[in-house]
Amino acid sequence: MQDTSKKSPMELINEVPPIKVQGRFVACEGDSDPALGHPIEFICLDLAEPAVCKCCGLRFVQDHHHH
Ligand SMILES: [Zn+2]
């Protein structure tokens, strides 16, 4: 179970636009510095709506390229 009592940056996160990712999966670490983030969370981006990392709340969308 997740500890929901700790400080949550959800309000700030909600102001961050979803991160565009090329590919069907993204490995989220919560931060570019692994020491500040969380264990790698693999997120599937097959859904139409942005996928949310359950660890840090960052949102990701698949960047569809149509050449
Ligand atoms: Zn994350």
Side-chain angles (χ1 to χ4, degrees):
M1 304 303 283
Q2 283 189 302
D3 179 10
T4 55
S5 65
K6 64 184 178 183
K7 65 175 181 178
S8 170
M10 290 305 290
E11 289 187 359
L12 289 174
I13 288 293
N14 285 336
E15 296 178 358
V16 179
I19 300 168
K20 288 187 176 182
V21 178
Q22 294 181 34
R24 294 175 56 205
F25 293 90
V26 60
C28 180
E29 290 182 279
D31 194 279
S32 55
D33 183 350
L36 299 176
H38 56 69
I40 291 180
E41 180 75 19
F42 288 96
I43 304 169
C44 178
L45 301 176
D46 276 348
L47 298 176
E49 63 250 39
V52 181
C53 176
K54 66 182 180 183
C55 293
C56 66
L58 283 175
R59 294 179 293 169
F60 299 89
V61 292
Q62 189 173 165
D63 190 10
H64 294 280
H65 280 273
H66 298 284
H67 295 285

